Amino acid sequence: MGGVSAVDRAERVPKQDRSRATRQRLLEAAVSCLAEHGWAGSTVAVVAERAGVSRGAAQHHFPTREDLITAAVEYVAEERSTALRALFPEGAAGDRHAVVAALVDLYTGPLFRAALHLWVAASNEEQLRPRVTELESRVGRETHRIAVELLAADESVPGVRETVQGLLDMARGLGLANLLTDDAARREHVVAQWAGLLEEALG
């Protein structure tokens, strides 16, 4: 039995790199299209054109639009977690105001806007809904876990888990409001108020 030659290996690595790069471009293009045009305007053909990729190549990676968009929002979710962790590489050092502000930024940015379009689509698309529901459930658990860690919250204390969840619900609500108007000034006051409440509630 012949093994894989060094030449074959050398050719395969760049091909894998190209394939990975193509997938990445498609995901980034899908996120942009979703944020700007919503579900209806984010077909595989439109996303492929934006990514500078042929439709055939796009469908090789993502056979259906549901595959593409679900993968894109999963990518968004991972980017959200990565971005939040990157703000506090050494931990939050007890600065709860900074943590609240970072969480609110997470929900008022373009990544959340793209995810929101998928939620709207999933409410009307039977085949998409279970996949999005499962994905958002996992993202929600991860975001909650990161928030608990950054806030140094002790969830064994009654009411603390609900307090953290309330913070995330509030941040999501600000994200929804931000779709219609840029409410940055009012948002700063809300963040300050929530940070004070958390100091009292979490100790």
Side-chain angles (χ1 to χ4, degrees):
M1 290 177 60
V4 178
S5 73
V7 172
D8 288 340
R9 280 197 300 272
E11 288 178 351
R12 185 179 301 160
V13 172
K15 187 175 181 182
Q16 287 173 343
D17 286 345
R18 285 196 303 275
S19 177
R20 201 175 296 116
T22 297
R23 180 184 170 87
Q24 180 82 2
R25 283 207 310 278
L26 284 165
L27 290 175
E28 290 173 356
V31 170
S32 297
C33 285
L34 256 174
E36 292 174 23
H37 309 300
W39 166 259
S42 300
T43 64
V44 174
V46 168
V47 172
E49 182 178 357
R50 185 169 191 140
V53 172
S54 72
R55 183 171 179 168
Q59 288 181 316
H60 168 73
H61 288 277
F62 305 104
T64 69
R65 176 164 62 164
E66 288 82 0
D67 293 328
L68 171 62
I69 300 302
T70 303
V73 173
E74 184 158 18
Y75 166 72
V76 165
E78 289 167 3
E79 289 291 294
R80 275 156 59 183
S81 295
T82 300
L84 186 59
R85 286 202 172 280
L87 292 174
F88 304 101
E90 305 300 325
D95 188 347
R96 285 178 170 148
H97 184 281
V99 174
V100 174
L103 286 165
V104 168
D105 285 347
L106 189 71
Y107 282 106
T108 53
L111 295 177
F112 176 74
R113 189 176 301 120
L116 184 63
H117 281 296
L118 188 71
W119 297 356
V120 173
S123 69
N124 298 312
E125 297 281 340
E126 285 292 336
Q127 64 192 103
L128 192 60
R129 191 182 307 144
R131 300 172 74 177
V132 174
T133 301
E134 178 188 3
L135 177 60
E136 281 302 320
S137 177
R138 180 167 63 76
V139 173
R141 287 193 301 272
E142 171 69 2
T143 305
H144 186 99
R145 187 180 65 74
I146 290 173
V148 166
E149 182 181 313
L150 292 175
L151 291 165
D154 181 1
E155 290 197 304
S156 68
V157 176
V160 166
R161 178 173 180 78
E162 291 76 14
T163 298
V164 173
Q165 193 57 56
L167 165 64
L168 295 176
D169 289 342
M170 179 276 296
R172 191 179 299 115
L174 290 175
L176 290 171
N178 198 57
L179 288 174
L180 297 175
T181 57
D182 182 1
D183 210 8
R186 187 178 69 89
R187 202 158 59 236
E188 285 181 19
H189 294 298
V190 174
V191 166
Q193 178 70 10
W194 261 93
L197 292 171
L198 284 170
E199 287 296 340
E200 291 181 25
L202 303 180

